[in-house]
Amino acid sequence: MKTSRVLIIYTGGTIGMGRNPLTGTLEPLDFNYLLANLPEMQYLETSTDVYQFEAPIDSSDMNPTIWAELVRIIANNYDKYEGFVILHGTDTMAYTASALSFMLGNLTKPVILTGSQLPIGQLRTDGKENLVTSIELAAAHDENGFPMVPEVCIYFSGKLIRGNRSTKQHADGFNAFDSFNYPHLCDAGVNFNFNRHVILKPDFSKPLQTFYEMDANIVVFSLFPGIQENIVRHMLDAPELKGIVMRTFGSGNAMQKGWLLRALQSASERGVTIVNISQCVAGTVEMSRYDTGYQLQQAGVISGRDSTVEAAATKLMHLHARFPNDNATITHYMQTSMAGEISID
């Protein structure tokens, strides 16, 4: 007897592709057909249904409209399933996981994104283990019947990690994702070893909140030695610009250039939210540690703490859509942990 139900949402990606015998290239296949030919599925104690996008999406083409469609699918099926598994290409998986963590408010069920580096029907694929384990995790409950991981996660290669803490670390290795500033939620070996103290604990009495709008009028840019004033000014002066994720050096430092500070202050004064995150994969921004960081603070730049670039970018999109032209509220929430995306002292 199957004791629980999980909805698999297939958006596209390598996991559902097959190799064309004539051209040798990878092309999308019918995922229901692939599942029917996976003997591992019959041993699961969870029943599964598949929602398949009519045209599979290369993850490089992922965008806020598709994120909104994923939110709609989950919301429409929320009461029918114990959890959701989203099959997704790896290139932008961390962006989608981060976006969904903000667009699905008071989430009380697991939403687990996974995929693979090799197609699920190919020899040596990592897709089978990633898929089967993700389904088991999506259906996992504690001794009181509550979901073990009621948040948006990524599962890959034995690690369950918070979606908005995730970063793709390897282009073609099976160990594709990790969270450098937060512990794993679960390590899947012979048994599941859940780190319960680091998993979000929502209010199960409250209903799911759904947000469908994202304002993508933001930009991500990295500082580097020799960056030119005219290029930066053209970018910062764009009238449509709402937010900036600025990737600085070390613990949040920038070059001491008067023109840069003036340009940032001018943008901040007209309502552009400027968030400072580190170019380092681990560690946090501490803008009061060095004078260069303090000067950025004086120019209106706010600390993104230990946020990933994916989380900072999608959080800005979410907040500017949710609180248009309310920079004080946006600034407040950018420095608040809304879905476990940053560490607050």
Side-chain angles (χ1 to χ4, degrees), residues 134-288:
S134 293
I135 294 169
E136 289 189 311
L137 288 166
H141 285 70
D142 65 17
E143 58 276 6
N144 297 312
F146 292 109
M148 290 297 299
V149 280
E151 54 177 288
V152 180
C153 312
I154 287 178
Y155 177 78
F156 232 87
S157 190
K159 294 179 294 192
L160 184 70
I161 58 180
R162 179 166 296 162
N164 56 35
R165 294 283 193 153
S166 64
T167 295
K168 187 175 181 182
Q169 65 170 353
H170 206 299
D172 51 19
F174 288 158
N175 190 26
F177 290 90
D178 212 338
S179 54
F180 294 95
N181 286 320
Y182 202 75
H184 300 162
L185 306 185
C186 178
D187 291 299
V190 174
N191 299 302
F192 289 154
N193 295 310
F194 290 99
N195 297 314
R196 296 193 181 198
H197 63 288
V198 301
I199 297 173
L200 291 178
K201 297 172 180 61
D203 186 341
F204 288 94
S205 68
K206 292 183 178 179
L208 177 73
Q209 285 182 294
T210 52
F211 302 96
Y212 297 99
E213 301 299 323
M214 298 286 268
D215 189 337
N217 288 298
I218 70 161
V219 69
V220 177
F221 83 97
S222 295
L223 297 180
F224 60 90
I227 192 168
Q228 292 297 298
E229 177 180 1
N230 57 334
I231 302 297
V232 173
R233 283 196 174 277
H234 280 303
M235 178 176 60
L236 298 189
D237 288 343
E240 304 85 0
L241 186 63
K242 301 287 182 62
I244 299 168
V245 178
M246 184 171 66
R247 303 179 69 238
T248 56
F249 309 123
S251 57
N253 302 309
M255 57 281 294
Q256 297 187 56
K257 299 284 187 181
W259 65 262
L260 177 61
L261 295 172
R262 288 191 296 270
L264 292 171
Q265 184 165 359
S266 176
S268 177
E269 287 173 351
R270 71 171 199 270
V272 177
T273 313
I274 308 170
V275 182
N276 181 0
I277 67 169
S278 177
Q279 294 179 26
C280 305
V281 294
T284 189
V285 163
E286 297 182 43
M287 293 170 66
S288 57

Side-chain angles (χ1 to χ4, degrees), residues 25-44:
T25 58
L26 294 175
E27 57 186 28
L29 298 176
D30 184 323
F31 200 78
N32 282 292
Y33 170 80
L34 290 174
L35 282 185
N37 286 274
L38 281 183
E40 292 85 353
M41 296 297 291
Q42 66 181 303
Y43 298 111
L44 285 170

Side-chain angles (χ1 to χ4, degrees), residues 52-71:
Q52 182 166 324
F53 276 39
E54 188 173 330
I57 300 152
D58 186 296
S59 70
S60 298
D61 292 322
M62 194 55 63
N63 60 64
T65 301
I66 302 170
W67 294 338
E69 179 61 18
L70 288 170
V71 171

